[in-house]
Amino acid sequence: MNDLSDRVALVTGSSSGLGLAAAMALAQRGARLAISSRGGDRLAAAEARLAGTATEVIAVAADIRRPEALEELVSNVEEQLGPIDILIANGGGPRAKPATELDDVDWQEAIPLTLLFVPRLCQLVLPGMRRRGWGRIVAINSVSARQPIPGLALSNALRPAVLGYLKTLSQEVATDGVTVNAVLPGYTRTERLEELALSMAERTGQNAVDIMTEQGSGSAMRRLAEPREIGDTVAFLASPQASYITGQGVVVDGGYFKGLV
Ligand SMILES: NC(=O)c1ccc[n+]([C@@H]2O[C@H](COP(=O)([O-])OP(=O)(O)OC[C@H]3O[C@@H](n4cnc5c(N)ncnc54)[C@H](OP(=O)(O)O)[C@@H]3O)[C@@H](O)[C@H]2O)c1
């Protein structure tokens, strides 16, 4: 399916995990891709991996916590590939801590990493999308925005804030042809998940593999998600076929969330 041919997509946090899976799914649909992370070997390896599948791929290093790095990222991508049609906003998750152990430093570190980079990136790409009358913004969020996950107080607090921002934005830009959505993954087999399991193992003395098995068994499907399952949903929301979907948080969790909405 080449429905994204000639579309330019920027995917942040795409050297691994869900961001890389989203980049791969966009590449399969023919998008011209810019991937990004803090840089280093993992980003270079992701670029090499995508080179065989994407029409065109570039890799640009940028720390999403720094506003000026985001400005440079967007202008660098637009210089090399042209105007950005699709933004996939993703990054590293905040520290895993229970609410009773949080201090000010935790909040100060988590807010730019989990919340602020989303509006900052949106502000940079939106003027062009609105002028051209077409755009897709998809943020990778978390099922924790629907159902708080024990021990992840920062994620539980900040993910809903991102959704509140995106919902508001979606209302403001809908008539300009720009859709704004989020994908809310459940437990997915990535490096981040392994890190969380290891940190929980340290705290509780449990085995990290058992923790991951338990996380998978919390879903109705009794298994973890594979990154591809999240990437395909992101790519669908970025596609022309998703033209009447905006302001939504699409949960992709194998039935982990037990509420109605
Ligand atoms: N995996 C899950 O089960 C799950 C479930 C729900 C939500 N999520 C959320 O989804 C997001 C992605 O998770 P993941 O599992 O794919 O994690 P991951 O494998 O650790 O990937 C995180 C990506 O973000 C990049 N990154 C981290 N800090 C960055 C920074 N300051 N600036 C720029 N890039 C940065 C990393 O690249 P570099 O290290 O190269 O910079 C990497 O490409 C996270 O926010 C996570 O909390 C994950």
Side-chain angles (χ1 to χ4, degrees):
M1 193 189 292
N2 284 329
D3 51 359
L4 293 179
S5 292
D6 295 330
R7 299 288 186 193
V8 172
L10 166 61
V11 188
T12 60
S14 47
S15 66
S16 69
L18 306 181
L20 178 57
M24 291 178 92
L26 293 169
Q28 280 160 11
R29 288 173 178 257
R32 296 166 60 228
L33 267 183
I35 61 167
S36 180
S37 81
R38 285 165 296 182
D41 291 348
R42 280 209 306 180
L43 184 61
E47 184 185 17
R49 211 168 141 188
L50 282 159
T53 54
T55 318
E56 194 174 355
V57 59
I58 62 166
V60 183
D63 187 327
I64 56 169
R65 294 169 295 187
R66 295 180 44 236
E68 54 297 352
L70 296 177
E71 280 169 32
E72 281 165 26
L73 169 65
V74 168
S75 67
N76 193 332
V77 171
E78 297 206 323
E79 230 166 70
Q80 293 193 62
L81 295 182
I84 294 167
D85 302 301
I86 297 166
L87 167 67
I88 312 300
N90 177 56
R95 293 181 71 183
K97 269 184 142 184
T100 46
E101 289 177 21
L102 291 180
D103 59 28
D104 265 13
V105 175
D106 293 324
W107 287 105
Q108 280 157 15
E109 284 176 2
I111 288 170
L113 180 68
T114 310
L115 170 61
L116 290 180
F117 83 100
V118 179
R120 283 171 176 159
L121 273 171
C122 289
Q123 298 289 14
L124 291 166
V125 298
L126 265 169
M129 289 179 177
R130 297 179 85 178
R131 240 188 347 265
R132 293 187 301 278
W134 199 92
R136 296 281 185 268
I137 293 175
V138 184
I140 298 185
N141 197 274
S142 171
V143 71
S144 67
R146 290 274 192 276
Q147 180 169 301
I149 298 175
L152 297 189
L154 291 165
S155 179
N156 297 339
L158 295 173
R159 303 293 188 189
V162 174
L163 291 188
Y165 165 76
L166 294 174
K167 185 77 178 181
T168 314
L169 181 66
S170 70
Q171 296 283 313
E172 295 173 17
V173 300
T175 54
D176 298 322
V178 181
T179 67
V180 183
N181 293 291
V183 172
L184 281 56
Y187 286 112
T188 312
R189 195 187 302 280
T190 66
E191 286 172 31
R192 154 95 174 150
L193 193 74
E194 283 165 11
E195 278 166 21
L196 287 175
L198 286 171
S199 115
M200 198 184 286
E202 267 172 34
R203 273 207 319 275
T204 61
Q206 234 185 315
N207 178 302
V209 176
D210 292 344
I211 292 170
M212 285 176 71
T213 306
E214 218 169 273
Q215 286 165 335
S217 70
S219 76
M221 293 185 184
R222 305 279 184 260
R223 67 170 176 87
L224 297 172
E226 296 302 326
R228 181 196 53 75
E229 296 176 299
I230 312 304
D232 284 344
T233 310
V234 170
F236 170 68
L237 290 171
S239 73
Q241 285 78 7
S243 51
Y244 206 54
I245 303 176
T246 198
Q248 300 306 305
V250 179
V251 178
V252 186
D253 70 345
Y256 172 88
F257 171 55
K258 303 297 187 289
L260 285 177
V261 286

